[in-house]
Amino acid sequence: PGQPMKTITLQYFAVLREQAGCSEERLETAAATPAELYEEVRVKHGFTLPLSMLRVAVNEEFRDWSSPLRPNDRVVFIPPVAGG
């Protein structure tokens, strides 16, 4: 059996926002971790950044890519910031 579906709010910044065409979306997902979630939206939106270049925050706290996701979490994928 797969993971149960949950609703996650995703926020995008910088190049991810440009590639997604939006700054925020709500997503029904079975992804268990931020890493699985990123793979899902990477395919959906055609993101070009590899996971290794990003950081992830869940509910405004930096988290590990393998930390569990819960219903109604707010997830932010943070790309490298341009400039010095």
Side-chain angles (χ1 to χ4, degrees):
Q3 290 281 330
M5 295 296 281
K6 55 189 151 295
T7 302
I8 301 291
T9 300
L10 275 162
Q11 287 183 280
Y12 302 115
F13 295 103
V15 67
L16 297 181
R17 181 172 61 207
E18 292 163 25
Q19 291 174 351
C22 61
S23 59
E24 184 171 305
E25 68 178 332
R26 286 174 67 80
L27 192 68
E28 283 284 321
T29 183
T33 65
E36 289 179 21
L37 184 63
Y38 183 71
E39 181 59 21
E40 187 176 317
V41 296
R42 187 186 68 76
V43 171
K44 176 181 175 184
H45 292 303
F47 290 156
T48 54
L49 290 174
L51 192 77
S52 59
M53 290 185 66
L54 301 170
R55 294 188 70 188
V56 64
V58 180
N59 301 325
E60 299 175 16
E61 292 181 7
F62 284 111
R63 295 280 176 86
D64 192 272
W65 284 104
S66 59
S67 60
L69 289 175
R70 295 186 172 80
N72 301 310
D73 277 349
R74 293 183 66 85
V75 177
V76 184
F77 295 124
I78 301 158
V81 178

